[in-house]
Amino acid sequence: MKRARSFCTALLVFVVGAGATAHAQGDKGKKNSDPSPAPARGQHQRGQAPQQDQGKKGAPPGRAQAAAAHQRQQTPPPAQVRRQVPQPVQSSRPGPQQARATRPAPQPVQARRQAPRPVQVMRPAPQVAVSNDVQRQRALAEQQRATQYRQRLNQQVLFSQQQAALLQQQKRNNQYRAEQQYLAQLRQQQQRLQLTRNYANDPYVRTAPTYRYNYGGAYRQTNQYGVDVLRQAVNYGYQEGVRFGQADRQDGWAANYQNSAAYRDANYGYDGNYIDQSEYNYYFRQGFQRGYADGYNSQSQYGSSFNGTSSILATLLTSILGLTSLR
């Protein structure tokens, strides 16, 4: 009896366990077969069940953060948009405001007053025209003076040729070369005198005297054109004196400027214009005497030399001429 009772009890436990297992498997199958999940409690109660919101809420947190970052990159802030606005194209021609901006500012009055002034060069006295009668008299005097000097110059060329031959016989080679150069200059003056000259239109004829000078203890008047010839006479005399003085020293000849043919002639550079021949000869010899002393003694007491050209001192030139302005 006891064995039969134990067997019935074990059989009953087995049947009950098998039924419970089958019931559990049936519930699990129902759950897996249902494809749509149950709606959330809050959405079911509010009546809102949009599929788009459900997709956003159900997305993984990693994808949601990446989408938000991509949206922020595509949408720049307002300040950045303003920086990226393209600037208007500027024309190559400046506008009125830009032209006024690039125009240099005017200098203050005080700066212009403090600017250094240019060096003022001393100009000759103003020229004043003379009457027609005086112009005719001067034109006639100029024509007569040029004719007389042309005849005098022809004689001097012949004399210089004879003097050059004598120096060659004396074997004064340096003095001979100096005389040959002086003769060539006289021949150039002959050619200039052969040119036609309109004395009536010469500016010297129309200009009134503006200076006076001392000649042999007497004062004479002339204008700027005559003053230029006087200065030329002294300077040319000094240059020829230096050359002839050097020639005598190199030849071993005794110093004597009066024996030089150029000193006796004293017409180099004269064209018969603006002053008398005797006046030109006087001032030429004044310069020759001083130039001969510097050339023979190899000194620069009365003048200087620059690039092979000798010139008398300006102070000495003024003293020799004794010029005085009339204006």
Side-chain angles (χ1 to χ4, degrees):
M1 284 295 291
K2 292 181 179 181
R3 290 181 178 180
R5 188 178 297 174
S6 299
F7 178 77
C8 290
T9 302
L11 180 61
L12 180 61
V13 172
F14 177 76
V15 173
V16 173
T21 302
H23 185 269
Q25 290 180 354
D27 294 337
K28 186 177 180 180
K30 290 181 179 181
K31 291 180 180 181
N32 293 336
S33 62
D34 191 2
S36 59
R41 181 179 298 179
Q43 294 179 356
H44 182 71
Q45 292 177 356
R46 297 174 183 174
Q48 298 178 357
Q51 297 180 359
Q52 183 177 1
D53 293 343
Q54 290 178 359
K56 289 183 180 180
K57 291 181 181 180
R63 294 183 180 180
Q65 293 178 359
H70 181 67
Q71 186 175 4
R72 286 195 301 267
Q73 291 179 359
Q74 291 182 353
T75 307
Q80 185 176 0
V81 173
R82 286 196 298 270
R83 293 194 190 99
Q84 295 179 356
V85 173
Q87 298 293 333
V89 179
Q90 296 182 358
S91 175
S92 59
R93 182 179 298 177
Q97 296 181 357
Q98 185 177 1
R100 288 195 298 269
T102 57
R103 188 176 301 169
Q107 298 181 358
V109 178
Q110 184 177 2
R112 290 196 297 267
R113 291 177 180 175
Q114 294 179 356
R117 297 181 179 179
V119 179
Q120 297 182 357
V121 180
M122 298 299 297
R123 298 181 179 179
Q127 299 179 359
V128 180
V130 297
S131 62
N132 294 332
D133 294 339
V134 175
Q135 292 184 26
R136 285 192 293 269
Q137 294 176 2
R138 285 187 174 182
L140 182 60
E142 285 291 298
Q143 186 175 3
Q144 294 176 353
R145 183 187 295 124
T147 302
Q148 294 175 0
Y149 177 68
R150 188 181 298 110
Q151 298 175 358
R152 173 70 176 80
L153 182 58
N154 294 334
Q155 298 176 0
Q156 184 60 33
V157 169
L158 295 176
F159 175 77
S160 297
Q161 291 176 352
Q162 298 174 0
Q163 185 69 19
L166 179 61
L167 293 173
Q168 190 176 16
Q169 293 177 1
Q170 296 175 351
K171 296 182 179 181
R172 299 174 58 182
N173 298 328
N174 295 285
Q175 192 68 228
Y176 171 77
R177 284 191 292 269
E179 183 65 28
Q180 284 290 97
Q181 184 175 351
Y182 187 81
L183 178 60
Q185 294 169 351
L186 293 180
R187 288 172 177 171
Q188 292 178 1
Q189 292 179 207
Q190 279 184 319
Q191 296 177 1
R192 288 195 298 267
L193 288 175
Q194 294 176 0
L195 299 177
T196 304
R197 178 183 171 194
N198 191 349
Y199 296 95
N201 293 331
D202 195 298
Y204 166 81
V205 174
R206 302 191 302 267
T207 306
T210 53
Y211 293 94
R212 71 173 185 175
Y213 58 98
N214 187 356
Y215 170 67
Y219 285 99
R220 298 190 179 185
Q221 296 181 355
T222 186
N223 51 30
Q224 185 64 43
Y225 302 97
V227 169
D228 292 341
V229 175
L230 293 174
R231 291 173 176 170
Q232 173 183 299
V234 179
N235 267 314
Y236 279 2
Y238 180 83
Q239 293 175 8
E240 295 300 316
V242 170
R243 193 159 54 85
F244 277 86
Q246 291 175 350
D248 281 344
R249 176 176 54 83
Q250 293 170 359
D251 290 337
W253 206 260
N256 190 348
Y257 62 87
Q258 295 179 352
N259 288 335
S260 300
Y263 178 84
R264 293 196 297 269
D265 177 51
N267 285 307
Y268 166 60
Y270 183 65
D271 292 333
N273 300 332
Y274 308 154
I275 63 175
D276 293 338
Q277 180 183 354
S278 59
E279 297 177 9
Y280 190 94
N281 297 154
Y282 171 80
Y283 290 108
F284 182 92
R285 291 181 177 125
Q286 291 294 317
F288 188 96
Q289 178 181 353
R290 293 166 173 81
Y292 186 93
D294 283 352
Y296 191 88
N297 299 319
S298 299
Q299 63 184 11
S300 299
Q301 180 179 357
Y302 302 106
S304 60
S305 179
F306 181 74
N307 290 336
T309 302
S310 302
S311 59
I312 198 169
L313 296 177
T315 55
L316 182 58
L317 175 63
T318 303
S319 177
I320 293 173
L321 296 178
L323 293 173
T324 304
S325 177
L326 299 177
R327 298 287 184 260

